[in-house]
Amino acid sequence: MSRKWLAAATVGALALGVSACGSSSSSSSSTGSAVASSSGSVSATLNGSGSTFAAPIYQQLGSELKSKGLTINYQAVGSGQGISDLTNKSTLFAGSDPPMKDDELAAAKKNGQPVHVPTAFGAITISYNLDGVKSGLKFDGPTLANIFLGKIKKWNDPAIAKLNPGMSLPAQTITVVHRSDESGTTKGFTSFLADQSPEWKSKVGADKTVKWPTGTGAKGNDGVAAAIKQTPGAIGYVEQAYALQNGFTYGYVKNNAGKFVAPSIPSVTAAGQGVSIPSDLRFTLGASNNPASYPISSQTFIVVYKDPCKAGASKGQAKGLVSFLDYILGPGQSTIKKLSYAPLPSAIDSKAKAAVKGLTCNGSPIA
């Protein structure tokens, strides 16, 4: 089912690009366009960019919303570029997995107050291309760190073999594949490695882009997925939906409770239980002590301006944006689950809905 939905998302993305180019409107800007229909309702084209981690979600939901008069033109360019595009007012919304940092907030505030709207949780899988080895190869944090540091070079290394007793591992060279662009998936993965390995923390660190000690870079989750698929012996980190789409084998990862856990909707949901949510919703799924949790889990956000009209949007675009966000946090949560992401826990969902309700257009509520 996941592969079928992802295929639909890909088709939807192509359709969205065509329809966005062909939209007619009485007003337009880099953030999109809006036009009042004869019935008085508003049809809007909303331009957004950012997270490749969440791209299948926004592309599929955009396809579902076409019949409701909304065209969602989303470009999967990475979380960092998405935030830059929002700050430069070239888009109406940004997709970002990590919350904005303080310096990013300060830069964006020239246009108004950014608002973080969480939309889903997802797993960052350790995917590999190893002939004869099925899904379920076990990894722990220190071993993964040493692989991505370039210290473990062969698949039959004693450190990997010790975690997988009785498994026949080939004496094949490991090819590391990582992101080349500024990525929220990278931030989530390197944060896990920094938490697990003092050497990784001191030498490489955790951010949307880092200086990789080894490996080959590829752009986007789709680029990393393609490189793994084409390279025997490769290992990389990709969002679960991309791993399923490509039929990858992926590993079980040891969590803080000492359990080896597979990426799944229940294990990602478990990672989000009990997370502390600040008033501005800029939270991060950290290392959970829940025995059922998958340890490399990530949140993803849509970031908008509290008053999108003051940032350049028309009233129709603002209304369309609220409709889009309402759909994501309502019926869209079912689609999110079908795409192999975890829907938001009710406590976070209610806070996200409150944030959307607080959006304004030139200081007035968006109705």
Short mmCIF file of all heavy atoms in Angstrom, two decimals, residues 109-165:
data_model
loop_
_atom_site.label_atom_id
_atom_site.label_comp_id
_atom_site.label_asym_id
_atom_site.label_seq_id
_atom_site.Cartn_x
_atom_site.Cartn_y
_atom_site.Cartn_z
N LYS A 109 12.23 37.46 10.78
CA LYS A 109 11.31 38.39 11.44
C LYS A 109 11.19 39.75 10.75
O LYS A 109 10.29 40.52 11.08
CB LYS A 109 11.72 38.57 12.91
CG LYS A 109 11.28 37.41 13.79
CD LYS A 109 11.62 37.65 15.26
CE LYS A 109 11.13 36.50 16.13
NZ LYS A 109 11.49 36.69 17.56
N LYS A 110 12.05 39.99 9.78
CA LYS A 110 11.88 41.22 8.99
C LYS A 110 10.56 41.21 8.23
O LYS A 110 10.05 42.26 7.83
CB LYS A 110 13.04 41.38 8.01
CG LYS A 110 13.12 40.29 6.94
CD LYS A 110 14.36 40.40 6.07
CE LYS A 110 14.43 39.28 5.04
NZ LYS A 110 15.67 39.34 4.24
N ASN A 111 10.00 40.02 8.01
CA ASN A 111 8.73 39.87 7.30
C ASN A 111 7.56 39.58 8.24
O ASN A 111 6.41 39.52 7.79
CB ASN A 111 8.81 38.73 6.29
CG ASN A 111 9.96 38.88 5.33
OD1 ASN A 111 10.23 39.99 4.85
ND2 ASN A 111 10.67 37.80 5.05
N GLY A 112 7.84 39.37 9.52
CA GLY A 112 6.79 39.00 10.46
C GLY A 112 7.22 37.85 11.34
O GLY A 112 8.37 37.40 11.28
N GLN A 113 6.32 37.37 12.17
CA GLN A 113 6.62 36.31 13.11
C GLN A 113 6.42 34.92 12.48
O GLN A 113 5.30 34.57 12.09
CB GLN A 113 5.72 36.42 14.35
CG GLN A 113 5.91 35.33 15.38
CD GLN A 113 7.30 35.35 16.00
OE1 GLN A 113 7.81 36.41 16.37
NE2 GLN A 113 7.91 34.19 16.11
N PRO A 114 7.47 34.09 12.35
CA PRO A 114 7.28 32.74 11.84
C PRO A 114 6.52 31.87 12.85
O PRO A 114 6.71 32.00 14.06
CB PRO A 114 8.70 32.22 11.65
CG PRO A 114 9.56 33.45 11.60
CD PRO A 114 8.89 34.42 12.51
N VAL A 115 5.66 31.02 12.33
CA VAL A 115 4.88 30.09 13.15
C VAL A 115 5.19 28.67 12.69
O VAL A 115 5.13 28.37 11.49
CB VAL A 115 3.37 30.37 13.03
CG1 VAL A 115 2.55 29.29 13.73
CG2 VAL A 115 3.04 31.74 13.60
N HIS A 116 5.51 27.79 13.64
CA HIS A 116 5.78 26.39 13.33
C HIS A 116 4.51 25.57 13.52
O HIS A 116 3.91 25.58 14.60
CB HIS A 116 6.88 25.85 14.26
CG HIS A 116 8.24 26.37 13.95
ND1 HIS A 116 8.60 27.69 14.14
CD2 HIS A 116 9.35 25.75 13.46
CE1 HIS A 116 9.87 27.86 13.78
NE2 HIS A 116 10.34 26.71 13.36
N VAL A 117 4.13 24.85 12.48
CA VAL A 117 2.98 23.97 12.54
C VAL A 117 3.46 22.53 12.32
O VAL A 117 3.79 22.16 11.19
CB VAL A 117 1.93 24.33 11.47
CG1 VAL A 117 0.71 23.40 11.58
CG2 VAL A 117 1.49 25.79 11.61
N PRO A 118 3.57 21.72 13.37
CA PRO A 118 3.98 20.33 13.17
C PRO A 118 2.94 19.58 12.34
O PRO A 118 1.74 19.83 12.48
CB PRO A 118 4.08 19.78 14.59
CG PRO A 118 3.22 20.68 15.42
CD PRO A 118 3.27 22.03 14.77
N THR A 119 3.39 18.70 11.47
CA THR A 119 2.46 17.99 10.59
C THR A 119 2.55 16.46 10.71
O THR A 119 1.55 15.78 10.50
CB THR A 119 2.70 18.37 9.13
OG1 THR A 119 4.06 18.11 8.77
CG2 THR A 119 2.41 19.86 8.90
N ALA A 120 3.72 15.92 11.04
CA ALA A 120 3.86 14.46 11.09
C ALA A 120 5.18 14.09 11.76
O ALA A 120 6.06 14.93 11.94
CB ALA A 120 3.81 13.87 9.68
N PHE A 121 5.29 12.82 12.11
CA PHE A 121 6.55 12.22 12.54
C PHE A 121 6.96 11.18 11.51
O PHE A 121 6.11 10.60 10.81
CB PHE A 121 6.42 11.52 13.90
CG PHE A 121 6.08 12.43 15.05
CD1 PHE A 121 5.56 11.89 16.23
CD2 PHE A 121 6.28 13.79 14.99
CE1 PHE A 121 5.24 12.71 17.30
CE2 PHE A 121 5.98 14.62 16.06
CZ PHE A 121 5.45 14.07 17.22
N GLY A 122 8.26 10.92 11.41
CA GLY A 122 8.72 9.90 10.49
C GLY A 122 10.01 9.26 10.96
O GLY A 122 10.71 9.80 11.82
N ALA A 123 10.33 8.11 10.37
CA ALA A 123 11.55 7.38 10.71
C ALA A 123 12.64 7.67 9.69
O ALA A 123 12.39 7.74 8.49
CB ALA A 123 11.28 5.88 10.76
N ILE A 124 13.86 7.85 10.18
CA ILE A 124 15.04 7.93 9.32
C ILE A 124 15.67 6.54 9.34
O ILE A 124 16.24 6.12 10.35
CB ILE A 124 16.03 8.99 9.82
CG1 ILE A 124 15.36 10.37 9.86
CG2 ILE A 124 17.27 9.03 8.93
CD1 ILE A 124 16.19 11.44 10.52
N THR A 125 15.54 5.83 8.25
CA THR A 125 16.01 4.45 8.21
C THR A 125 17.50 4.38 7.90
O THR A 125 18.06 5.25 7.24
CB THR A 125 15.27 3.62 7.14
OG1 THR A 125 15.62 4.11 5.83
CG2 THR A 125 13.77 3.71 7.31
N ILE A 126 18.13 3.31 8.37
CA ILE A 126 19.48 2.94 7.95
C ILE A 126 19.30 1.91 6.86
O ILE A 126 19.06 0.73 7.11
CB ILE A 126 20.29 2.37 9.13
CG1 ILE A 126 20.33 3.38 10.29
CG2 ILE A 126 21.71 2.03 8.66
CD1 ILE A 126 20.88 4.74 9.93
N SER A 127 19.34 2.37 5.62
CA SER A 127 19.08 1.51 4.47
C SER A 127 20.40 1.06 3.84
O SER A 127 21.38 1.80 3.83
CB SER A 127 18.23 2.24 3.44
OG SER A 127 16.95 2.51 3.94
N TYR A 128 20.39 -0.17 3.33
CA TYR A 128 21.63 -0.71 2.76
C TYR A 128 21.34 -1.60 1.57
O TYR A 128 20.22 -2.11 1.39
CB TYR A 128 22.42 -1.49 3.83
CG TYR A 128 21.63 -2.51 4.62
CD1 TYR A 128 21.50 -3.83 4.18
CD2 TYR A 128 21.01 -2.17 5.81
CE1 TYR A 128 20.78 -4.77 4.92
CE2 TYR A 128 20.30 -3.09 6.55
CZ TYR A 128 20.18 -4.40 6.09
OH TYR A 128 19.46 -5.32 6.82
N ASN A 129 22.35 -1.77 0.73
CA ASN A 129 22.27 -2.59 -0.47
C ASN A 129 23.33 -3.67 -0.34
O ASN A 129 24.49 -3.49 -0.70
CB ASN A 129 22.54 -1.71 -1.71
CG ASN A 129 22.46 -2.48 -3.01
OD1 ASN A 129 22.37 -3.71 -3.02
ND2 ASN A 129 22.53 -1.76 -4.12
N LEU A 130 22.91 -4.80 0.21
CA LEU A 130 23.85 -5.87 0.51
C LEU A 130 23.25 -7.19 0.03
O LEU A 130 22.29 -7.70 0.60
CB LEU A 130 24.10 -5.90 2.02
CG LEU A 130 25.36 -6.60 2.53
CD1 LEU A 130 26.61 -6.03 1.88
CD2 LEU A 130 25.45 -6.48 4.04
N ASP A 131 23.81 -7.71 -1.03
CA ASP A 131 23.28 -8.92 -1.66
C ASP A 131 23.23 -10.09 -0.67
O ASP A 131 24.22 -10.39 0.00
CB ASP A 131 24.14 -9.30 -2.87
CG ASP A 131 23.53 -10.41 -3.69
OD1 ASP A 131 22.30 -10.40 -3.85
OD2 ASP A 131 24.28 -11.29 -4.16
N GLY A 132 22.06 -10.71 -0.56
CA GLY A 132 21.90 -11.88 0.30
C GLY A 132 21.59 -11.56 1.75
O GLY A 132 21.36 -12.47 2.54
N VAL A 133 21.57 -10.29 2.11
CA VAL A 133 21.27 -9.89 3.49
C VAL A 133 19.92 -9.19 3.52
O VAL A 133 19.72 -8.18 2.84
CB VAL A 133 22.36 -8.97 4.06
CG1 VAL A 133 22.02 -8.56 5.48
CG2 VAL A 133 23.72 -9.67 4.02
N LYS A 134 19.01 -9.72 4.30
CA LYS A 134 17.65 -9.18 4.36
C LYS A 134 17.58 -8.01 5.33
O LYS A 134 18.52 -7.69 6.03
CB LYS A 134 16.68 -10.29 4.78
CG LYS A 134 16.62 -11.48 3.84
CD LYS A 134 15.66 -12.54 4.35
CE LYS A 134 15.60 -13.74 3.42
NZ LYS A 134 14.68 -14.79 3.94
N SER A 135 16.39 -7.40 5.39
CA SER A 135 16.14 -6.37 6.39
C SER A 135 16.30 -6.96 7.78
O SER A 135 16.06 -8.15 8.00
CB SER A 135 14.72 -5.81 6.24
OG SER A 135 14.63 -4.91 5.17
N GLY A 136 16.71 -6.12 8.71
CA GLY A 136 16.85 -6.59 10.08
C GLY A 136 18.27 -6.66 10.58
O GLY A 136 18.51 -7.07 11.72
N LEU A 137 19.23 -6.27 9.75
CA LEU A 137 20.61 -6.18 10.22
C LEU A 137 20.64 -5.20 11.39
O LEU A 137 20.06 -4.12 11.32
CB LEU A 137 21.51 -5.69 9.09
CG LEU A 137 23.03 -5.85 9.25
CD1 LEU A 137 23.41 -7.30 9.39
CD2 LEU A 137 23.74 -5.23 8.05
N LYS A 138 21.29 -5.58 12.48
CA LYS A 138 21.26 -4.76 13.69
C LYS A 138 22.45 -3.79 13.75
O LYS A 138 23.58 -4.16 13.43
CB LYS A 138 21.27 -5.67 14.92
CG LYS A 138 20.01 -6.52 15.06
CD LYS A 138 20.10 -7.44 16.27
CE LYS A 138 18.84 -8.28 16.41
NZ LYS A 138 18.94 -9.22 17.56
N PHE A 139 22.12 -2.58 14.19
CA PHE A 139 23.15 -1.55 14.37
C PHE A 139 22.94 -0.89 15.73
O PHE A 139 21.82 -0.81 16.24
CB PHE A 139 23.04 -0.45 13.30
CG PHE A 139 23.21 -0.93 11.89
CD1 PHE A 139 22.10 -1.21 11.10
CD2 PHE A 139 24.47 -1.06 11.34
CE1 PHE A 139 22.25 -1.64 9.79
CE2 PHE A 139 24.64 -1.49 10.03
CZ PHE A 139 23.52 -1.78 9.25
N ASP A 140 24.03 -0.40 16.31
CA ASP A 140 23.90 0.49 17.45
C ASP A 140 24.56 1.83 17.08
O ASP A 140 25.21 1.96 16.04
CB ASP A 140 24.48 -0.11 18.73
CG ASP A 140 25.98 -0.42 18.65
OD1 ASP A 140 26.65 0.07 17.71
OD2 ASP A 140 26.48 -1.16 19.52
N GLY A 141 24.37 2.83 17.93
CA GLY A 141 24.86 4.16 17.62
C GLY A 141 26.36 4.24 17.41
O GLY A 141 26.83 4.81 16.41
N PRO A 142 27.19 3.68 18.32
CA PRO A 142 28.63 3.75 18.12
C PRO A 142 29.11 3.09 16.83
O PRO A 142 30.01 3.60 16.16
CB PRO A 142 29.19 3.03 19.36
CG PRO A 142 28.13 3.25 20.41
CD PRO A 142 26.83 3.16 19.66
N THR A 143 28.49 1.96 16.47
CA THR A 143 28.88 1.28 15.23
C THR A 143 28.51 2.12 14.01
O THR A 143 29.31 2.26 13.07
CB THR A 143 28.22 -0.10 15.14
OG1 THR A 143 28.62 -0.89 16.28
CG2 THR A 143 28.61 -0.83 13.87
N LEU A 144 27.32 2.70 14.02
CA LEU A 144 26.93 3.56 12.89
C LEU A 144 27.86 4.76 12.79
O LEU A 144 28.26 5.16 11.69
CB LEU A 144 25.49 4.02 13.06
CG LEU A 144 24.41 2.98 12.73
CD1 LEU A 144 23.03 3.50 13.14
CD2 LEU A 144 24.43 2.64 11.25
N ALA A 145 28.20 5.35 13.93
CA ALA A 145 29.11 6.49 13.91
C ALA A 145 30.45 6.11 13.29
O ALA A 145 31.01 6.86 12.48
CB ALA A 145 29.31 7.03 15.33
N ASN A 146 30.96 4.94 13.65
CA ASN A 146 32.26 4.51 13.11
C ASN A 146 32.18 4.18 11.62
O ASN A 146 33.16 4.35 10.89
CB ASN A 146 32.79 3.32 13.90
CG ASN A 146 33.35 3.73 15.24
OD1 ASN A 146 33.77 4.87 15.43
ND2 ASN A 146 33.34 2.82 16.20
N ILE A 147 31.01 3.71 11.15
CA ILE A 147 30.83 3.49 9.72
C ILE A 147 30.87 4.83 8.99
O ILE A 147 31.59 4.99 7.99
CB ILE A 147 29.49 2.77 9.43
CG1 ILE A 147 29.55 1.31 9.92
CG2 ILE A 147 29.16 2.81 7.94
CD1 ILE A 147 28.22 0.59 9.85
N PHE A 148 30.14 5.83 9.50
CA PHE A 148 30.07 7.12 8.82
C PHE A 148 31.30 7.99 9.08
O PHE A 148 31.51 8.98 8.37
CB PHE A 148 28.77 7.83 9.20
CG PHE A 148 27.57 7.31 8.45
CD1 PHE A 148 26.94 6.14 8.84
CD2 PHE A 148 27.10 7.96 7.33
CE1 PHE A 148 25.85 5.63 8.15
CE2 PHE A 148 26.01 7.47 6.62
CZ PHE A 148 25.38 6.30 7.02
N LEU A 149 32.13 7.59 10.06
CA LEU A 149 33.44 8.22 10.24
C LEU A 149 34.48 7.62 9.30
O LEU A 149 35.58 8.15 9.16
CB LEU A 149 33.92 8.05 11.69
CG LEU A 149 33.30 8.97 12.74
CD1 LEU A 149 33.63 8.47 14.15
CD2 LEU A 149 33.77 10.41 12.57
N GLY A 150 34.15 6.49 8.68
CA GLY A 150 35.08 5.81 7.79
C GLY A 150 36.02 4.87 8.51
O GLY A 150 36.97 4.35 7.90
N LYS A 151 35.77 4.60 9.79
CA LYS A 151 36.64 3.72 10.56
C LYS A 151 36.29 2.25 10.33
O LYS A 151 37.16 1.38 10.39
CB LYS A 151 36.54 4.06 12.04
CG LYS A 151 37.03 5.47 12.38
CD LYS A 151 36.80 5.83 13.83
CE LYS A 151 37.70 5.03 14.76
NZ LYS A 151 37.57 5.47 16.17
N ILE A 152 35.02 1.95 10.10
CA ILE A 152 34.59 0.60 9.74
C ILE A 152 34.40 0.59 8.23
O ILE A 152 33.55 1.30 7.70
CB ILE A 152 33.29 0.22 10.47
CG1 ILE A 152 33.54 0.12 11.97
CG2 ILE A 152 32.72 -1.08 9.92
CD1 ILE A 152 32.29 -0.19 12.79
N LYS A 153 35.20 -0.25 7.55
CA LYS A 153 35.26 -0.19 6.09
C LYS A 153 34.68 -1.41 5.39
O LYS A 153 34.42 -1.35 4.19
CB LYS A 153 36.72 -0.01 5.65
CG LYS A 153 37.37 1.26 6.22
CD LYS A 153 38.81 1.39 5.74
CE LYS A 153 39.51 2.61 6.36
NZ LYS A 153 38.88 3.87 5.94
N LYS A 154 34.51 -2.51 6.11
CA LYS A 154 34.01 -3.75 5.50
C LYS A 154 32.75 -4.21 6.22
O LYS A 154 32.59 -4.03 7.44
CB LYS A 154 35.07 -4.85 5.59
CG LYS A 154 36.37 -4.56 4.84
CD LYS A 154 36.19 -4.69 3.33
CE LYS A 154 37.52 -4.55 2.61
NZ LYS A 154 37.37 -4.68 1.14
N TRP A 155 31.87 -4.86 5.46
CA TRP A 155 30.61 -5.33 6.03
C TRP A 155 30.80 -6.46 7.04
O TRP A 155 29.97 -6.65 7.93
CB TRP A 155 29.65 -5.76 4.93
CG TRP A 155 28.93 -4.60 4.32
CD1 TRP A 155 29.15 -3.99 3.12
CD2 TRP A 155 27.86 -3.86 4.93
NE1 TRP A 155 28.30 -2.93 2.92
CE2 TRP A 155 27.49 -2.83 4.03
CE3 TRP A 155 27.18 -3.98 6.14
CZ2 TRP A 155 26.46 -1.93 4.31
CZ3 TRP A 155 26.15 -3.07 6.41
CH2 TRP A 155 25.81 -2.07 5.50
N ASN A 156 31.90 -7.20 6.95
CA ASN A 156 32.13 -8.28 7.92
C ASN A 156 33.03 -7.82 9.07
O ASN A 156 33.62 -8.65 9.77
CB ASN A 156 32.73 -9.50 7.23
CG ASN A 156 34.12 -9.24 6.64
OD1 ASN A 156 34.54 -8.08 6.49
ND2 ASN A 156 34.83 -10.31 6.30
N ASP A 157 33.12 -6.52 9.27
CA ASP A 157 33.89 -5.98 10.40
C ASP A 157 33.40 -6.61 11.71
O ASP A 157 32.20 -6.82 11.90
CB ASP A 157 33.73 -4.46 10.45
CG ASP A 157 34.64 -3.80 11.47
OD1 ASP A 157 34.26 -3.77 12.66
OD2 ASP A 157 35.71 -3.33 11.09
N PRO A 158 34.32 -6.89 12.64
CA PRO A 158 33.92 -7.52 13.90
C PRO A 158 32.84 -6.75 14.67
O PRO A 158 32.01 -7.36 15.35
CB PRO A 158 35.23 -7.55 14.70
CG PRO A 158 36.30 -7.61 13.64
CD PRO A 158 35.79 -6.79 12.51
N ALA A 159 32.83 -5.43 14.57
CA ALA A 159 31.82 -4.65 15.30
C ALA A 159 30.42 -4.93 14.78
O ALA A 159 29.46 -5.03 15.56
CB ALA A 159 32.14 -3.17 15.18
N ILE A 160 30.28 -5.07 13.45
CA ILE A 160 28.97 -5.39 12.87
C ILE A 160 28.63 -6.86 13.14
O ILE A 160 27.50 -7.19 13.51
CB ILE A 160 28.96 -5.11 11.35
CG1 ILE A 160 29.30 -3.64 11.08
CG2 ILE A 160 27.59 -5.46 10.75
CD1 ILE A 160 29.42 -3.29 9.60
N ALA A 161 29.62 -7.73 13.00
CA ALA A 161 29.40 -9.15 13.22
C ALA A 161 28.97 -9.45 14.66
O ALA A 161 28.11 -10.30 14.91
CB ALA A 161 30.66 -9.94 12.88
N LYS A 162 29.54 -8.71 15.61
CA LYS A 162 29.20 -8.92 17.03
C LYS A 162 27.73 -8.61 17.30
O LYS A 162 27.09 -9.27 18.14
CB LYS A 162 30.09 -8.05 17.91
CG LYS A 162 29.88 -8.28 19.40
CD LYS A 162 30.84 -7.40 20.20
CE LYS A 162 30.61 -7.61 21.71
NZ LYS A 162 31.55 -6.77 22.51
N LEU A 163 27.19 -7.63 16.61
CA LEU A 163 25.78 -7.27 16.79
C LEU A 163 24.84 -8.22 16.07
O LEU A 163 23.63 -8.21 16.32
CB LEU A 163 25.54 -5.84 16.28
CG LEU A 163 26.26 -4.71 17.01
CD1 LEU A 163 26.06 -3.40 16.28
CD2 LEU A 163 25.78 -4.60 18.44
N ASN A 164 25.41 -9.03 15.15
CA ASN A 164 24.58 -9.91 14.32
C ASN A 164 25.12 -11.33 14.33
O ASN A 164 25.54 -11.85 13.29
CB ASN A 164 24.54 -9.35 12.88
CG ASN A 164 23.89 -7.99 12.80
OD1 ASN A 164 22.68 -7.87 12.72
ND2 ASN A 164 24.71 -6.94 12.84
N PRO A 165 25.14 -11.97 15.50
CA PRO A 165 25.70 -13.33 15.59
C PRO A 165 24.93 -14.32 14.71
O PRO A 165 23.71 -14.25 14.60
CB PRO A 165 25.53 -13.66 17.08
CG PRO A 165 24.44 -12.77 17.57
CD PRO A 165 24.58 -11.51 16.78
#
